[in-house]
Amino acid sequence: MSSIFDHTLASAREALRSRKISAVELVDAHIDAIERLDGGLNSFITRTPEQARLAAKEADALLAKGEGGSLCGLPIGIKDLFATEGVRTTAASKILGNFVPPYESTVTANLKRDGAISLGKLNLDEFAMGSTNLTSAFGGVENPWKRRDSDAKLVPGGSSGGSAAAVAAGLVLGATGTDTGGSIRQPAAFCGITGIKPTYGRCSRFGTIAFASSLDQAGPMARTLQDCAILLESMAGFDPKDSTSVNRPVPHYEAALGRGVKGLKVGIPKEYRIDGLPAEIEAIWQQGINWLKEAGADVVDISLPHTKYGLPAYYIAALAEASSNLARYDGVRFGERVSGASLDALYEATRAAGFGDEVKRRILLGTYVLSSGYYDAYYLRAQKVRTLLQRDFLKAYETVDVILAPTAPSGAFAWDEKPTDPVQVYLNDVFTVPASMAGVPALSVPAGLDGRGVPLGLQLIGRFFDEETLLAAGSVLERAASFTHRPTIHAGVSA
Ligand code: GLN
């Protein structure tokens, strides 16, 4: 091991257990990397180095006795959408700018229970609404990757852009993300890392700030699938505090990684061959097909006939839920307040000053589709389409075990290439939204670089609660791709 930053979460776990390195050493190195690099990347909204150093000392004491949980001493980052007791939690919004929760989300409590050490709260699109991480009230995040031929700042994707950038740059060994319509998978693809959106209900939503409650799902982001498997095992599980969390035992996910794909049926959905799909994305998809075939999988064409209605239905259903969820930010109970002459004026002034443009746009659209007269025409229809999308997947899984598709229709684009028309940005979610609407699990693995040296991801979509098959097939792709490239900005590279 030439540098401490060559470690994966799994290899660091072994090095800690065999006392080749100490938790203090590991945590200090990462805190130092954040100080060196994050002024530019802006992947953290809040850093917690003092708490992390204390936790590292405690971890070393446990490790010295051969004790400590499965993540003991491992430095990670937390998307700033998870409530963390005593640590500011903003959702990257001004309206929650000073919110310090008196409670801990279940997912972060699970990670803590197992000994993970948080280095702080990671940047995101405001309230997880976006695909660029440029809607954050705390400034955009820079993707640590650069194109070979230019110095332009690239977007890390979103909404979990801070998580993806921090993991890719080696500032943390892993991170939490949330995915409502692609927010784990798309930034993972844009930053050349791995991310899993588990089945809806696999991880508790308790203490995760809600965007669209029937779609929101937490999941891990890390540099390898094994690292994701380790994190997911800790994050997942039934939680009586979330009525949509599902009471099923959590498998030992790591064990599924080596299963292989011999005899596995892999579906290629023809509707994902959309018009205008860049040749490079098409090529990497074909490459993925070949890799799975070479490993013994049986690849077949399938149809998911309602795919084209996925995006429009998502942008109705998700926004309807968002408008209702965000009604609580009124300046009275928590967050920033702007006073007014009356209660109504206080609400108006607080919400006008507290929410950014994208969030306001979504509240307006969401309120519109729920309003009387439009409810049946839009919201109810979107719900019906959602059922059809789900049936497409259930039907497909009668013949195939897993579905392979690109994660996104493009690689990371430059900050100043972000389309001014929001609908153009929404189109980037075309391949991720259907699995979210259906509630089925999906992951993204880095598969290669485009012609300009920017990572591209492949997506696998699985059956309900069959994250294990995803991990098995994903690890075949991971091995075949042997993606060892590193971004330009990385903790292991001295400036
Ligand atoms: N990009 C999608 C959106 O803007 C998905 C966001 C998410 O998954 N949180 O809604």
Side-chain angles (χ1 to χ4, degrees), residues 190-322:
F190 276 24
C191 291
I193 64 158
T194 303
I196 305 178
K197 178 203 95 75
T199 309
Y200 182 78
R202 184 71 286 191
C203 294
S204 168
R205 287 183 301 109
F206 176 79
T208 309
I209 293 171
F211 161 13
S213 312
S214 77
L215 295 152
D216 299 344
Q217 179 57 213
M221 302 173 78
R223 292 194 286 275
T224 69
L225 262 184
Q226 185 185 10
D227 292 356
C228 280
I230 295 170
L231 289 169
L232 180 59
E233 205 170 313
S234 167
M235 294 164 71
F238 174 61
D239 178 11
K241 288 189 264 186
D242 171 9
S243 60
T244 60
S245 104
V246 174
N247 197 353
R248 282 171 82 117
V250 178
H252 180 41
Y253 289 120
E254 255 185 292
L257 291 163
R259 279 188 194 171
V261 292
K262 265 208 180 63
L264 203 75
K265 283 215 147 167
V266 181
I268 308 300
K270 66 168 196 256
E271 291 78 7
Y272 282 46
R273 297 196 189 280
I274 51 170
D275 287 345
L277 187 67
E280 289 182 313
I281 306 277
E282 184 96 42
I284 207 97
W285 193 7
Q286 188 55 49
Q287 180 67 74
I289 295 173
N290 296 345
W291 284 331
L292 290 173
K293 274 189 188 159
E294 281 156 24
D298 184 6
V299 180
V300 296
D301 288 328
I302 56 160
S303 172
L304 299 169
H306 297 92
T307 297
K308 70 168 179 223
Y309 305 113
L311 259 187
Y314 168 83
Y315 275 96
I316 290 172
L319 275 45
E321 291 187 33

Side-chain angles (χ1 to χ4, degrees), residues 252-489:
H252 180 41
Y253 289 120
E254 255 185 292
L257 291 163
R259 279 188 194 171
V261 292
K262 265 208 180 63
L264 203 75
K265 283 215 147 167
V266 181
I268 308 300
K270 66 168 196 256
E271 291 78 7
Y272 282 46
R273 297 196 189 280
I274 51 170
D275 287 345
L277 187 67
E280 289 182 313
I281 306 277
E282 184 96 42
I284 207 97
W285 193 7
Q286 188 55 49
Q287 180 67 74
I289 295 173
N290 296 345
W291 284 331
L292 290 173
K293 274 189 188 159
E294 281 156 24
D298 184 6
V299 180
V300 296
D301 288 328
I302 56 160
S303 172
L304 299 169
H306 297 92
T307 297
K308 70 168 179 223
Y309 305 113
L311 259 187
Y314 168 83
Y315 275 96
I316 290 172
L319 275 45
E321 291 187 33
S323 75
S324 155
N325 272 327
L326 271 59
R328 75 191 71 178
Y329 304 107
D330 54 12
V332 175
R333 282 161 297 181
F334 39 61
E336 299 282 356
R337 174 182 305 167
V338 180
S339 27
S342 64
L343 187 60
D344 281 352
L346 178 146
Y347 290 161
E348 281 172 19
T350 299
R351 289 167 69 84
F355 291 131
D357 288 348
E358 182 60 26
V359 173
K360 282 181 188 154
R361 176 179 301 118
R362 292 185 183 215
I363 292 173
L364 288 171
L365 282 167
T367 310
Y368 177 79
V369 301
L370 286 176
S371 57
S372 89
Y374 296 108
Y375 183 91
D376 289 356
Y378 294 111
Y379 182 69
L380 212 59
R381 273 213 124 163
Q383 293 298 9
K384 288 181 178 167
V385 171
R386 189 169 180 184
T387 304
L388 294 175
L389 287 162
Q390 191 176 71
R391 281 194 201 147
D392 281 357
F393 281 102
L394 293 179
K395 181 114 204 339
Y397 292 134
E398 286 171 10
T399 49
V400 299
D401 301 297
V402 67
I403 293 168
L404 176 73
T407 308
S410 76
F413 44 89
W415 278 35
D416 55 16
E417 289 163 1
K418 181 184 171 186
T420 42
D421 175 1
V423 174
Q424 291 301 319
V425 181
Y426 299 166
L427 291 176
N428 209 261
D429 303 331
V430 61
F431 296 139
T432 48
V433 151
S436 300
M437 290 292 266
V440 292
L443 60 75
S444 179
V445 284
L449 300 178
D450 73 7
R452 301 173 87 178
V454 170
L456 297 174
L458 280 173
Q459 180 182 206
L460 288 163
I461 307 171
R463 290 194 173 98
F464 281 107
F465 291 100
D466 191 10
E467 283 80 5
E468 288 164 286
T469 300
L470 284 185
L471 289 164
S475 104
V476 164
L477 294 175
E478 188 178 51
R479 237 171 299 134
S482 65
F483 187 91
T484 49
H485 313 279
R486 273 193 172 173
T488 317
I489 302 169

Side-chain angles (χ1 to χ4, degrees), residues 128-131 159 179-183 211 314-315 362 429:
M129 297 176 185
S131 329
S159 67
D179 191 310
T180 303
S183 278
F211 161 13
Y314 168 83
Y315 275 96
R362 292 185 183 215
D429 303 331

Side-chain angles (χ1 to χ4, degrees), residues 28 74 128 137 196 434:
D28 275 345
L74 296 166
I196 305 178

